[in-house]
Amino acid sequence: QVQPVESGGGSVQAGGSLRLSCTNSGFTSNNCGLGWYRQAAGKQREWVSSITPDGATSYADSVKGRFTASKDNAKDTVYLQMNSLKPEDTAMYSCKTYGAGWYCSSSRWGQGTQVTVSS
């Protein structure tokens, strides 16, 4: 299976929190990294965060200090904890694997999960 499944989105007020999940069977055993991306209506998709096979994380400046990526290797699942949400965080959030191997690099985009933050 080379297609992630995202979940955990919803509608919250500004300042609230959500935890997104991305499950991709086999990404752990194939030593894939995983990136989180978001796309607001009418805008380009942008990178949000990445996590390496060994758990090192990186973040876009816009979310640094508010979002935290983590993973559970036993479940082939990556999480994105989003705190202090702002209206500008409203977007469709998607995830995708990456890496040198064919398995990691051939992953499809998932359906995404919608996050809506009201002021």
Side-chain angles (χ1 to χ4, degrees), residues 51-111:
I51 186 165
T52 69
D54 61 332
T57 57
S58 57
Y59 304 92
D61 288 342
S62 59
V63 306
K64 193 172 296 182
R66 300 187 298 118
F67 291 10
T68 304
S70 61
K71 64 191 183 81
D72 185 337
N73 289 337
K75 297 180 179 180
D76 274 335
T77 298
V78 171
Y79 304 99
L80 186 67
Q81 179 66 45
M82 306 185 297
N83 298 325
S84 302
L85 284 163
K86 304 174 180 179
E88 50 263 46
D89 295 319
T90 296
M92 181 71 73
Y93 285 72
S94 302
C95 61
K96 193 176 188 298
T97 59
Y98 67 87
W102 68 267
Y103 184 93
C104 305
S105 61
S106 64
S107 177
R108 299 168 231 154
W109 290 100
Q111 288 291 108

Side-chain angles (χ1 to χ4, degrees), residues 16-62:
S17 299
L18 287 171
R19 190 183 73 162
L20 307 184
S21 298
C22 172
T23 298
N24 188 280
S25 181
F27 97 91
T28 297
S29 62
N30 284 281
N31 296 313
C32 303
L34 187 136
W36 284 100
Y37 305 82
R38 66 186 182 186
Q39 186 170 24
K43 296 185 178 180
Q44 297 269 13
R45 174 180 280 145
E46 64 175 339
W47 171 77
V48 175
S49 178
S50 294
I51 186 165
T52 69
D54 61 332
T57 57
S58 57
Y59 304 92
D61 288 342
S62 59

